[in-house]
């Protein structure tokens, strides 16, 4: 078990590292066959856990990572994680299969799969980890890999824009989420999700409860594209279609759903959780579906439809949370059914939306357009594609015999169940919920009809430039959508297999306190009898057909409601404003002159140490332990003083450099005199290398004369220099006078013998403080690369290139 | 000419000195940082005396990679301690009897220090080369 879970998280990352290597001999699109093995094997491995999970077993494994901070690398698998893990690997395999034929050989296929695997690993990490910090790390990693995948065609301006937008919005949400996690840690002292669930009452009683709740929800809403953060999703459609199908409809955007479901046991029971989750969800559903209808780009239409469907799932989870507030078992069963429906629809949505995205990808690939005004009459030319599109859209519209019908019915039922909810004082609102849901469903129905009828029926529109002759897609591209399409049908006919083995355990994972209750997992029936849900569905169909027929007459309404654009505009303006302000502020102090920067450093140093010195008033000078000053030292110091004063009056730069060198070497001699060979050696070599560097840079420096500044600046610099010197001298003298703590050197001296090193300095560097040394080495390396690339970059651009002048 | 002839000999003396400094670091003055600096000064001397192409022919490796190798070594020895379930960067020493050198201490710290030395060497030479290539 453990090995399966660890494999699931780490294999994608390892595979991602291997892709560039393997790509060298598995060239072209054949690399895809290596990649597809990863999700496929993981899917099978994970699927083997399903039977034991359906018995209610959960697996929790913990490794200490940073135990002092409460961070453990702990994995937890229960039904809820399993649904997502299966979706990630299952849809992942199909998407990889599809992408093998979707991407052309000329694209950077290796890069694509590296990012995709990176995402897969991160996403599995999100759903399988129990520690909130680990979850957060993986969460942000999904944002980053999504960014990279959206910007896959980075030469397009729109791709870069969309990538940046999604990154900014989701990462901002992520940081809020982290803040929420930290608040929870503050309350409970643990980062473990399972332990948090056990401490519900403590959390609910704390004053940080509401802020933590809001922060966590912000993270979930930004990720799952809930209103008003949904604006990034349509722009994310610039990604290659397999990515849109995978990240932006089937998995990543559902991370928010996962988070809400996971935190339901922690936060639910408080009215605000129910209100926020269900209202935002419903509003998103309505907003998404209404906006989807007006889209002409099929992919944008699907993006809005995804937003709408995510909102629908979210709202069901909100209603499901009511089960924590009620005590009557009949009520509980009603609300748990809502969560059940949410999870059911989650799976259904992945199947039909995945297939629809693939269909759109095929259209784009075969015809070179996805604009519905340029499509039409394709049903006879591309019969298989048409069938899949038909299945997908009708399922989304909520028609039988497709799985969307089942979950749509359950959705209506969940909304209607609110009629009985008098526990949270919302009688008047209870009516509003089903109505909004119903209206949203009508629009859903309309855009589903748009997909089917406007792109596949009707007459073939006039040819447009760049059009390719329409014919059916190659069978390799069709396999993945066919598999998804058949799942849509299969789930309709055998929903209870799914319900018992996968949805049931997942639902119970959301309600750990209800484990003992029998018969919570509902049976799914296609036919409920003549009850309200079926009438609602009939109403949706009738109203939907009517409105679709007359779409042309009322479509003008959309020109009035332009809130969508104001939201987008708000985002753009805000971004532009931030950039402008940042550049103004930065430019005000980043003058580009090293002299100014040194002045800043000195000023800070003076302010920090100097004020501290004056503030503490501890001027105790103790010269008793000082060694007598001999003639050797006085001579060297005299040389140093002479050279440093001489620098001020140097007439040329070379003189100044040499004088500076004299200063440096004299210090080295001073070290020798005071028997510090290590320091002396280092000083000499550093001095040599810097002098060489100085000579190299010599060529670029401007004329010595031209650097003369005005008198006031020189006076300012003079004061700064003298003040710094005084402070350093005072501090150096003061050090001897104070001894608050016993010297640490004796400790090092004795222990370093144990470690075998006789050179204490090096033992400290290499062992006691090895971590510091390692990081220093790393910093040095990064700085070196930085300098190197700066120099190279400049040359490439040809700016200021001497020989060109 | 004289400088070139002298350099040919001095180069190796400096190199040996650098290695000596690096190896003796555990018990005497020296160590990774100084060793690396001395090594790099040897190379810098070569570049100053000869032209870049000649030296490139003599040293067919990329100093950026040397630096990367150094970082890898330094971090790698730290990771090695995970294998033995010890905290990150725990160093170990063994006293071994080697045929020629007699009783010698072999420590992972030496590898760590080698990492430091290589990074310093790589970075310094890369920076100086980067700037000097720009000049020409």
């Amino acid at each position: 078990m453990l090995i399966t879970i660890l494999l699931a998280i780490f294999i994608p990352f390892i595979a991602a590292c291997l892709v560039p290597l393997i790509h060298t001999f598995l060239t072209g699109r054949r690399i895809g066959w290596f990649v597809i093995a990863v999700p496929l094997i993981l899917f099978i491995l994970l699927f083997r856990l399903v039977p034991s999970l359906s018995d209610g077993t959960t697996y929790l494994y913990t490794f200490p990572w940073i135990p002092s901070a409460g961070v453990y690398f702990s994995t937890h698998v229960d039904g809820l994680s399993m649904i997502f893990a299966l979706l990630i690997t299952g849809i992942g395999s199909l998407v990889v299969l599809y992408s093998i034929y979707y991407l052309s050989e000329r694209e950077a296929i290796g890069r694509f799969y590296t990012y995709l695997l990176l995402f897969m690993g991160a996403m599995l990490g999100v759903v399988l980890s129990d520690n909130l910090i680990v979850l957060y790390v993986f969460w942000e990693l999904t944002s980053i890999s999504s960014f990279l995948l959206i910007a896959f065609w980075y030469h397009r301006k729109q791709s870069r824009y969309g990538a940046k937008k999604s990154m900014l919005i989701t990462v901002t949400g992520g940081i809020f989420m982290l803040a929420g996690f930290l608040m929870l840690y503050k309350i409970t002292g643990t980062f473990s999700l399972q332990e948090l669930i056990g401490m519900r009452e403590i959390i609910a009683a704390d004053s940080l409860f509401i802020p933590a709740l809001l922060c966590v929800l912000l993270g979930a809403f930004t990720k799952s594209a809930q209103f008003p953060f949904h604006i990034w999703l349509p722009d994310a459609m610039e990604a290659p279609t397999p990515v849109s199908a995978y990240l932006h409809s089937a998995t990543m955007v559902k991370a928010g759903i996962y988070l809400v479901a996971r935190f339901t046991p922690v936060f639910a029971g408080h009215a605000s959780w129910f209100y926020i989750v269900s209202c935002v969800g419903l509003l998103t559903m309505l907003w998404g579906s209404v906006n989807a209808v007006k889209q002409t780009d099929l992919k944008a239409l699907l993006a809005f439809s995804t937003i709408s469907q995510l909102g629908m799932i979210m709202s069901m989870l909100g209603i499901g949370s009511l089960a924590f507030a009620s005590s009557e078992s009949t009520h509980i069963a009603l609300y748990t059914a809502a969560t059940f429906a949410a999870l059911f629809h989650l799976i259904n949505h992945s199947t039909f939306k995945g297939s629809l995205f693939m269909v759109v990808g095929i259209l784009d690939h075969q015809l070179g357009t996805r604009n519905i005004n340029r499509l039409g009459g394709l049903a006879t030319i591309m019969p298989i594609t048409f069938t899949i599109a038909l299945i997908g859209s009708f399922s989304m519209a909520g028609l039988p015999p497709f799985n969307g019908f089942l979950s749509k019915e359950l959705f209506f039922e969940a909304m209607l169940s609110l009629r009985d909810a008098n526990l949270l004082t919302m009688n008047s609102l209870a009516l509003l919920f089903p109505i909004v849901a119903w209206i949203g469903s009508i629009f859903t129905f309309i855009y589903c009809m748009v997909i089917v009828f406007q792109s596949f029926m009707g007459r073939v529109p006039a040819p447009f430039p760049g059009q390719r002759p329409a014919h059916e897609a190659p069978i390799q591209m069709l396999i993945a959508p066919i598999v998804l399409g058949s799942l849509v049908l299969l789930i309709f006919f055998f929903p209870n297999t799914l319900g018992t083995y996968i949805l049931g355990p997942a639902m119970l994972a959301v309600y750990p306190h209800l484990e003992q209750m029998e018969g919570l997992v509902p049976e799914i029936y296609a036919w409920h009898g003549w009850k309200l849900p079926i009438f609602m569905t009939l109403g949706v169909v009738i109203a939907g057909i009517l409105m679709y027929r007359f779409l042309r007459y009322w479509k003008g309404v959309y020109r009035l409601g332009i809130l969508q654009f104001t939201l987008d505009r708000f985002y753009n303006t805000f971004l532009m404003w931030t950039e402008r302000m940042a550049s103004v502020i930065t430019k005000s102090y980043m003058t580009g002159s090293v002299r100014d920067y040194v002045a800043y450093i000195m000023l800070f140093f003076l302010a920090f140490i100097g004020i501290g010195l004056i503030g503490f008033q501890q001027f105790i000078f103790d010269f008793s332990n000082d060694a007598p000053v001999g003639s050797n030292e006085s001579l060297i110091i005299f040389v140093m003083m002479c050279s440093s004063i001489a620098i001020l009056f140097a007439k040329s730069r070379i003189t100044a450099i040499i004088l500076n060198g004299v200063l440096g070497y004299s210090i080295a001699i001073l070290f020798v005199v005071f028997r510090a060979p290590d320091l002396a050696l280092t000083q000499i070599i550093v001095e040599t290398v810097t002098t060489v560097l100085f000579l190299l840079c010599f060529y670029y420096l401007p004329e010595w004369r031209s650097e003369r500044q005005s008198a006031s600046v020189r006076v300012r610099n003079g004061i700064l220099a003298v003040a710094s010197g005084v402070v350093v001298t005072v501090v150096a003298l003061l050090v001897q006078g104070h001894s608050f703590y016993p010297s640490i050197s004796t400790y090092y001296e004795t222990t370093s013998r144990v470690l075998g090193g006789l050179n204490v300095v090096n033992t400290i560097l290499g062992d006691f403080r090895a971590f510091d040394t390692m990081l220093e080495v790393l910093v040095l390396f990064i700085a070196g690369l930085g300098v190197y690339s700066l120099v190279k970059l400049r040359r490439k651009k040809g700016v200021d290139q001497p020989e060109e002048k | 000419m004289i400088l070139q002839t002298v350099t040919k000999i001095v180069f190796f003396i400096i190199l040996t000195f650098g290695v000596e400094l690096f190896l003796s670091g555990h018990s005497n003055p020296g160590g990774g940082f100084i060793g690396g600096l001395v090594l790099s000064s040897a190379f810098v001397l070569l570049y100053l005396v000869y032209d870049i192409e000649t030296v490139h022919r003599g040293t067919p490796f990329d100093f950026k990679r040397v630096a990367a190798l150094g970082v890898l070594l330094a971090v790698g020895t730290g990771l090695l301690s995970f294998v033995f379930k010890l905290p990150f960067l725990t160093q170990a020493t063994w006293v071994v009897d080697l045929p020629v050198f007699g009783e010698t201490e072999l420590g992972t710290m030496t590898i760590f220090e080698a990492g430091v030395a290589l990074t310093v060497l790589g970075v310094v030479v890369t920076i100086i080369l980067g700037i000097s290539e720009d000049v020409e």
Side-chain angles (χ1 to χ4, degrees):
Chain A
M1 296 310 124
L2 169 65
I3 202 79
T4 311
I5 295 158
L6 286 185
L7 277 180
I9 298 179
F10 288 106
I11 284 275
F13 289 116
I14 297 168
C17 298
L18 290 179
V19 162
L21 284 177
I22 294 175
H23 196 39
T24 50
F25 55 89
L26 257 180
T27 46
R29 59 174 47 140
R30 284 184 297 158
I31 182 74
W33 298 112
F34 162 72
V35 175
I36 198 172
V38 175
L40 207 62
I41 292 170
L42 289 181
F43 181 79
I44 295 164
L45 281 177
L46 287 166
F47 203 81
R48 287 168 57 226
L49 295 180
V50 165
S52 59
L53 282 174
S54 67
D55 297 339
T57 327
T58 57
Y59 302 99
L60 179 69
Y61 297 104
T62 301
F63 304 92
W65 184 11
I66 316 171
S68 52
V71 179
Y72 293 84
F73 191 93
S74 49
T75 56
H76 178 254
V77 183
D78 58 10
L80 188 63
S81 325
M82 191 42 86
I83 284 199
F84 282 88
L86 288 179
L87 273 182
I88 294 159
T89 49
I91 306 275
S93 324
L94 293 172
V95 162
V96 172
L97 175 69
Y98 176 79
S99 68
I100 293 175
Y101 295 95
Y102 180 83
L103 290 172
S104 82
E105 297 266 349
R106 280 169 288 126
E107 317 263 17
I109 295 179
R111 198 156 53 82
F112 177 79
Y113 284 124
T114 307
Y115 296 161
L116 203 69
L117 285 169
L118 194 71
F119 166 76
M120 201 180 286
M123 193 67 207
L124 283 168
V126 167
V127 299
L128 294 177
S129 50
D130 178 61
N131 193 283
L132 291 181
I133 295 298
V134 178
L135 188 148
Y136 170 74
V137 171
F138 283 124
W139 180 276
E140 294 294 38
L141 207 53
T142 61
S143 292
I144 292 167
S145 46
S146 154
F147 169 82
L148 291 170
L149 282 167
I150 297 171
F152 181 64
W153 288 316
Y154 54 80
H155 50 271
R156 293 190 196 164
K157 190 165 176 264
Q158 274 302 313
S159 292
R160 294 199 302 271
Y161 172 76
K164 198 167 91 181
K165 197 173 185 178
S166 78
M167 175 91 153
L168 283 177
I169 294 178
T170 53
V171 169
T172 310
I175 288 169
F176 272 103
M177 189 180 85
L178 178 66
F181 290 171
L182 292 177
M183 287 178 203
L184 287 175
Y185 183 71
K186 176 102 194 337
I187 301 170
T188 60
T190 176
F191 279 124
S192 162
L193 256 167
Q194 295 308 309
E195 287 173 31
L196 281 179
I197 291 170
M199 289 191 239
R200 304 183 39 209
E201 282 82 16
I202 303 171
I203 298 170
D206 203 278
S207 58
L208 278 174
F209 177 79
I210 292 289
L213 182 152
L214 288 176
C215 284
V216 170
L217 277 184
L218 252 170
F221 287 167
T222 47
K223 197 79 167 180
S224 277
Q226 297 296 300
F227 185 88
F229 309 111
H230 64 278
I231 49 171
W232 68 267
L233 195 57
D235 285 305
M237 291 299 138
E238 289 299 323
T241 304
V243 173
S244 310
Y246 189 37
L247 272 74
H248 306 125
S249 89
T251 53
M252 190 186 87
V253 286
K254 296 208 168 106
I257 307 269
Y258 171 78
L259 198 74
V260 169
R262 259 284 170 253
F263 274 91
T264 296
V266 180
F267 289 121
H270 198 275
S272 54
W273 176 266
F274 160 74
Y275 278 116
I276 297 172
V277 174
S278 56
C279 291
V280 167
L282 263 189
L283 185 61
T284 309
M285 183 204 173
L286 186 67
W287 189 258
S289 60
V290 169
N291 273 296
V293 175
K294 71 170 182 193
Q295 303 300 324
T296 50
D297 180 1
L298 270 180
K299 232 175 150 183
L301 192 156
L302 286 182
F304 276 102
S305 123
T306 305
I307 292 169
S308 156
Q309 302 277 325
L310 289 170
M312 178 176 156
I313 300 172
M314 200 61 99
S315 66
M316 284 193 268
L317 281 178
I319 292 172
S321 74
L322 283 177
F324 283 90
S326 61
S327 46
E328 276 178 67
S329 61
T330 48
H331 277 173
I332 288 178
L334 268 179
Y335 301 131
T336 52
T339 302
F340 185 82
L343 297 168
F344 188 36
H345 195 70
L346 182 90
I347 293 184
N348 295 345
H349 176 248
S350 295
T351 55
F352 62 67
K353 189 57 66 64
S355 66
L356 280 176
F357 263 112
M358 289 178 187
V359 163
V360 171
I362 288 173
L363 291 183
D364 199 8
H365 194 257
Q366 300 298 105
L367 298 157
T369 183
R370 18 174 237 251
N371 190 328
I372 47 173
N373 295 329
R374 290 173 168 180
L375 295 169
L378 291 168
T380 48
I381 308 167
M382 306 169 83
I384 305 175
T385 314
F386 167 66
T387 316
I388 302 164
L390 190 80
I391 294 174
S393 326
F394 279 13
S395 176
M396 183 152 69
L399 292 174
F402 308 108
N403 57 7
F405 171 72
L406 299 175
S407 42
K408 201 47 147 304
E409 294 273 286
L410 287 173
F411 170 61
F412 285 141
E413 217 158 286
M415 289 298 148
L416 290 170
S417 72
L418 283 180
R419 285 176 305 177
D420 309 324
N422 42 12
L423 30 97
L424 289 173
T425 64
M426 47 159 304
N427 289 325
S428 50
L429 268 173
L431 202 63
L432 206 60
F433 272 79
I435 292 175
V436 174
W438 190 70
I439 296 174
S441 301
I442 293 176
F443 280 94
T444 306
F445 188 88
I446 298 171
Y447 68 69
C448 291
M449 296 307 114
V450 169
I451 297 172
V452 176
F453 291 103
Q454 297 206 356
S455 43
F456 289 97
M457 296 298 187
R459 52 189 181 75
V460 184
F464 56 92
Q467 190 183 24
R468 296 174 209 154
H471 49 78
E472 185 59 273
I475 183 69
Q476 296 96 327
M477 264 180 104
L478 287 170
I479 295 174
I482 286 175
V483 171
L484 286 174
S486 5
L487 273 175
V488 169
L489 278 169
L490 270 176
I491 293 176
F492 176 80
F493 289 109
F494 307 103
N496 288 317
T497 323
L498 193 72
T500 325
Y501 287 103
I502 296 187
L503 299 175
M507 188 194 82
L508 289 178
V510 181
Y511 301 107
H513 68 303
L514 298 175
E515 251 172 55
Q516 307 86 341
M517 262 178 84
E518 290 290 316
L520 260 190
V521 180
E523 293 269 302
I524 310 166
Y525 299 108
W527 179 249
H528 294 268
W530 292 107
K531 287 194 189 148
L532 210 45
I534 195 75
F535 286 116
M536 283 175 86
T537 306
L538 279 175
V540 165
V541 173
I542 294 164
I545 290 175
L546 283 176
M547 283 177 79
Y548 175 69
R549 297 288 312 166
F550 301 107
L551 183 60
R552 169 165 19 123
Y553 302 108
W554 58 269
K555 217 176 175 179
V557 174
Y558 281 116
R559 262 172 246 137
L560 306 172
I562 46 168
L563 191 60
Q564 161 64 25
F565 289 106
T566 40
L567 266 180
D568 258 343
R569 200 179 299 150
F570 170 76
Y571 166 84
N572 291 335
T573 324
F574 177 73
L575 214 60
M576 234 160 59
W577 181 79
T578 329
E579 273 172 22
R580 206 172 297 144
M581 285 306 289
S583 113
V584 165
I585 293 170
T586 311
K587 278 199 183 122
S588 68
Y589 65 89
M590 298 300 277
T591 52
S593 154
V594 177
R595 231 182 246 117
D596 285 344
Y597 300 155
V598 173
Y600 297 150
I601 295 172
M602 290 301 183
L603 262 180
F604 178 76
F605 170 75
L606 278 179
F608 195 68
I609 310 267
I611 291 173
L613 277 180
I614 294 163
F616 284 116
Q617 294 286 343
Q618 295 274 332
F619 292 103
I620 306 163
F621 295 101
D622 180 8
F623 298 106
S624 59
N625 285 330
D626 294 0
V629 180
S631 55
N632 278 349
E633 292 99 37
S634 345
L635 193 69
I636 297 164
I637 288 171
F638 179 70
V639 169
M640 284 166 67
M641 282 163 110
C642 284
S643 59
S644 55
I645 291 169
I647 290 177
L648 295 177
F649 301 101
K651 287 276 180 279
S652 74
R653 181 172 278 124
I654 193 112
T655 325
I657 293 173
I658 289 171
L659 284 172
N660 201 33
V662 169
L663 198 57
Y665 285 118
S666 326
I667 293 176
I669 296 170
L670 214 56
F671 283 142
V672 173
V673 172
F674 288 120
R675 291 197 298 273
D678 262 345
L679 289 177
L681 255 175
T682 319
Q683 177 67 30
I684 289 174
I685 298 164
V686 167
E687 201 56 52
T688 313
V689 175
T690 26
T691 310
V692 171
L693 255 178
F694 233 136
L695 291 172
L696 281 171
C697 296
F698 209 69
Y699 187 82
Y700 294 102
L701 296 173
E703 283 286 304
W704 184 246
R705 291 274 155 217
S706 69
E707 289 187 41
R708 296 273 154 174
Q709 302 134 314
S710 65
S712 64
V713 175
R714 297 183 66 184
V715 168
R716 184 199 76 186
N717 288 347
I719 292 170
L720 260 180
V722 170
S724 315
V726 168
V727 168
V728 170
T729 314
V730 170
V731 168
L733 291 176
L734 275 178
V735 166
Q736 283 294 332
H738 295 263
S739 57
F740 298 115
Y741 309 104
S743 170
I744 198 170
S745 56
T746 45
Y747 165 75
Y748 283 134
E749 239 173 302
T750 46
T751 33
S752 65
R753 301 241 181 281
V754 180
L755 290 157
L758 295 175
N759 181 347
V760 181
V761 177
N762 264 329
T763 326
I764 294 173
L765 285 178
D767 202 333
F768 293 111
R769 319 277 326 169
F771 205 72
D772 296 358
T773 314
M774 191 201 82
L775 291 181
E776 274 160 23
V777 166
L778 210 63
V779 167
L780 181 70
F781 180 56
I782 294 168
L785 283 186
V787 170
Y788 180 78
S789 45
L790 274 179
V791 170
K792 288 279 161 189
L793 207 69
R794 221 176 62 112
R795 189 181 320 161
K796 214 181 254 174
K797 278 188 183 163
V799 183
D800 283 345
Q801 202 155 3
E803 57 261 68
E804 277 180 12
K805 275 183 188 167
Chain B
M1 262 318 276
I2 297 167
L3 196 58
Q4 288 195 352
T5 320
V6 172
T7 306
K8 271 181 199 163
I9 301 159
V10 169
F11 174 66
F12 289 103
I13 296 176
I14 300 178
L15 273 192
T16 325
F17 181 55
V19 175
E20 153 68 18
L21 270 181
F22 158 64
L23 281 179
S24 65
H26 205 47
S27 311
N28 291 306
F33 181 70
I34 302 175
L37 271 181
V38 171
L39 289 180
S40 50
S41 65
F43 281 100
V44 169
L45 182 66
L46 269 192
Y47 282 115
L48 284 181
V49 173
Y50 295 96
D51 54 318
I52 288 178
E53 276 72 31
T54 321
V55 186
H56 265 314
R57 251 179 283 132
T59 54
F61 43 83
D62 188 349
F63 281 95
K64 288 188 291 304
R65 294 191 179 210
V66 172
L69 180 74
V71 174
L72 206 67
L73 269 182
V75 181
T77 44
L79 287 179
L80 199 71
S81 52
F82 279 144
V83 181
F84 301 104
K85 298 205 168 168
L86 288 166
F88 189 53
L89 279 170
T90 308
Q91 309 288 7
T93 34
W94 299 274
V95 180
V96 186
D97 255 328
L98 287 181
V100 184
F101 302 98
E103 197 168 280
T104 316
E105 283 178 24
L106 291 177
T108 50
M109 207 161 101
T110 315
I111 308 175
F112 182 75
E113 291 278 316
V116 176
L118 286 179
T119 317
V120 172
L121 168 65
V123 168
V124 170
V125 177
T126 306
I127 292 179
I128 289 180
L129 266 189
I131 294 172
S132 62
E133 272 176 17
D134 210 31
V135 173
E136 281 165 24

